[in-house]
Amino acid sequence: MRFSWMPLLALGLTGGLGEATPLASTGFKLQPFQIELSSRLPRMLDLVRKTRLPAQSSFISTGSAAGISLGDLKSFKDEWLTTFDWKSEEKSLNKFHHYTAHIEGLDVHFIHEKSSAKDAIPLLLLHGWPGSFLEFVPIINELTKVAKTSSGKQVSFDIIVPSLPGFAFSSAPPTNWTIQDTARVFNTLLTDVLGYDTYATFGTDWGSGVAYALYNQFNTTVRAAHLAFIPFYPLTQEQLAAENITLSALEDFEEASTIEWNNSGLGYFVEQTTKPNTIGFALYDNPVGQLAWIGEKFLNWSDPNAGHSPSVLTHNEILRSVSLYYLTESFASSVAIYAQNPQGFSTVYTKAKTDAPLLFSSFKYNVGFWPPALVAKVGNLVYYKNHDAGGHFPGVDNPPALVADLREIGRFW
């Protein structure tokens, strides 16, 4: 059985080149979705209000090197109780077109915003941890506009932003679920549910692993990939030298930051890979605990200029992200992605089985750095841009740069 034309018009799923046909299968229970979490808000705020924080004298202060500072945590807590307004955030988020589809036993949540251009490129945007679909909210509308690439070619996008399984409104996957499984489900979403014949994808953090799996395994449908992270471990300075790779001053800074993060910033990675239940259960009903655990990553993995133009990564943005985790009760299921993918980042660089173009954006304060020569080892690299602003969450940390880079997909499409 097939959808008729009229219901799909109502859902906004007819489209142009590349292309969402008006015939998508009814087997996926595709339906509009609205965010309605305000009923859970009083309990969250009550727990925040009642949470006691230690006195300054009860521990040795080492600034951000030991994690989130007590001063930052107190400031966030006060803002959560006074100026942060979840109901307003929810109303704003519901201006987007949200949907759910049932694929392989999972309810998959996604935003689908279409361009008015008939030749718009379908673009799948994939977040990581501790991110969510919120990472891309600042750039969705801009990418649906008709613009030009650096070469003068006209480009616009149909934007699809799903929540990874176990994150936000997407249901938690089975125990042995991998990023390759997620890639398969998202390919089904784009092709069988939304009816696109071909599409492009972008990913960062775990989203880069899913995007790379799509690029590698579904090479007839994924005809361009753009990454800000790759699922391969960065190399040390000695390893880069052995590869005869020399670095610029900016790249030297990025390489040093990556090594420092590898030496002192991986505690959470080990915990979530080996004991996800322990941290998941400990923080499941603890909003301030989730704020400390997640907020530290947003603060330490982003540009020090966060919250000032071009960054929109304000305290409010971090509180919105943490509130989404708590209110959707998805913290414990989100960290499981680490244990489910213990080999999710490889030490052996392999080339994807595709001739589709690969684009890459590097941001100065990201926690991982890969020079062009390394990225070229894993795909058909046609574009590489290094930015001296922004960090691990480019959709909020440097939105204009990410938008400009994503538009370059149009040059090679």
Side-chain angles (χ1 to χ4, degrees):
M1 185 177 293
R2 297 282 185 174
F3 271 123
S4 67
W5 180 275
M6 289 308 294
L8 280 166
L9 282 176
L11 289 176
L13 297 179
T14 59
L17 186 68
E19 164 164 330
T21 70
L23 298 175
S25 172
T26 58
F28 300 103
K29 301 178 183 177
L30 179 66
Q31 57 186 343
F33 175 83
Q34 270 214 320
I35 300 173
E36 296 177 349
L37 296 172
S38 292
S39 63
R40 301 179 182 181
L41 190 61
R43 174 175 172 78
M44 182 183 80
L45 294 178
D46 187 52
L47 288 170
V48 173
R49 190 175 297 109
K50 291 178 178 178
T51 297
R52 296 172 59 245
L53 295 175
Q56 186 72 40
S57 59
S58 65
F59 65 97
I60 298 172
S61 176
T62 56
S64 61
I68 194 167
S69 71
L70 181 60
D72 280 338
L73 193 57
K74 286 180 175 178
S75 177
F76 274 113
K77 181 186 174 186
D78 290 344
E79 291 176 45
W80 222 349
L81 294 171
T82 56
T83 60
F84 181 74
D85 185 354
W86 172 259
K87 291 182 179 180
S88 176
E89 299 295 340
E90 188 172 86
K91 183 178 179 181
S92 176
L93 292 172
N94 277 328
K95 293 178 181 179
F96 293 100
H97 295 92
H98 297 257
Y99 302 93
T100 58
H102 194 71
I103 309 172
E104 295 190 25
L106 301 180
D107 290 321
V108 178
H109 159 258
F110 62 98
I111 291 174
H112 188 203
E113 293 295 326
K114 292 181 61 62
S115 169
S116 61
K118 292 182 178 180
D119 61 349
I121 299 169
L123 177 59
L124 176 69
L125 303 177
L126 300 172
H127 68 83
W129 189 94
S132 68
F133 71 90
L134 295 179
E135 282 186 60
F136 302 116
V137 165
I139 67 173
I140 292 174
N141 287 335
E142 190 65 26
L143 287 170
T144 62
K145 296 177 181 177
V146 178
K148 290 186 178 181
T149 69
S150 62
S151 63
K153 186 177 179 181
Q154 185 169 288
V155 63
S156 68
F157 299 95
D158 286 353
I159 298 297
I160 304 93
V161 188
S163 296
L164 295 183
F167 288 72
F169 305 106
S170 288
S171 55
T175 300
N176 296 320
W177 194 264
T178 67
I179 55 176
Q180 287 75 25
D181 294 318
T182 298
R184 184 181 64 253
V185 164
F186 286 170
N187 186 68
T188 298
L189 172 65
L190 268 290
T191 58
D192 295 342
V193 180
L194 300 182
Y196 291 110
D197 297 321
T198 58
Y199 61 95
T201 186
F202 169 82
T204 185
D205 195 88
W206 281 111
S208 74
V210 178
Y212 186 78
L214 285 164
Y215 177 69
N216 183 34
Q217 297 172 20
F218 297 94
N219 49 32
T220 60
T221 52
V222 178
R223 296 310 304 156
H226 192 138
L227 305 174
F229 218 75
I230 58 174
F232 300 88
Y233 282 107
L235 299 189
T236 65
Q237 291 163 321
E238 293 76 17
Q239 290 170 322
L240 290 173
E243 295 274 349
N244 293 317
I245 297 173
T246 58
L247 304 180
S248 67
L250 174 58
E251 291 172 330
D252 274 329
F253 177 91
E254 293 166 324
E255 174 66 12
S257 296
T258 295
I259 298 303
E260 174 60 27
W261 181 76
N262 187 65
N263 290 335
S264 63
L266 284 177
Y268 84 97
F269 192 101
V270 175
E271 176 70 18
Q272 291 177 184
T273 302
T274 59
K275 299 294 184 289
N277 285 356
T278 302
I279 191 64
F281 297 158
L283 300 185
Y284 178 78
D285 197 29
N286 185 343
V288 175
Q290 289 187 29
L291 172 61
W293 193 257
I294 292 173
E296 180 257 321
K297 279 68 178 177
F298 275 103
L299 292 173
N300 286 351
W301 298 358
S302 58
D303 193 312
N305 196 46
H308 302 279
S309 183
S311 170
V312 296
L313 187 55
T314 60
H315 277 201
N316 190 84
E317 187 67 30
I318 294 172
L319 289 172
R320 180 165 74 160
S321 291
V322 177
S323 295
L324 181 70
Y325 270 87
Y326 179 81
L327 294 172
T328 58
E329 301 177 343
S330 61
F331 178 82
S333 58
S334 75
V335 299
I337 195 172
Y338 289 81
Q340 291 168 324
N341 296 275
Q343 307 301 322
F345 292 86
S346 176
T347 57
V348 179
Y349 282 63
T350 56
K351 197 97 167 184
K353 298 184 292 290
T354 182
D355 63 351
L358 175 65
L359 299 84
F360 192 86
S361 297
S362 183
F363 295 89
K364 182 176 181 179
Y365 296 99
N366 204 343
V367 297
F369 167 66
W370 298 265
L374 287 187
V375 182
K377 285 178 175 288
V378 304
N380 178 25
L381 185 64
V382 297
Y383 176 89
Y384 184 104
K385 185 68 176 290
N386 199 347
H387 299 276
D388 61 4
H392 190 62
F393 310 94
V396 290
D397 218 10
N398 194 344
L402 182 58
V403 166
D405 285 358
L406 287 171
R407 284 178 174 152
E408 294 301 290
I409 290 172
R411 286 173 52 193
F412 308 99
W413 182 252

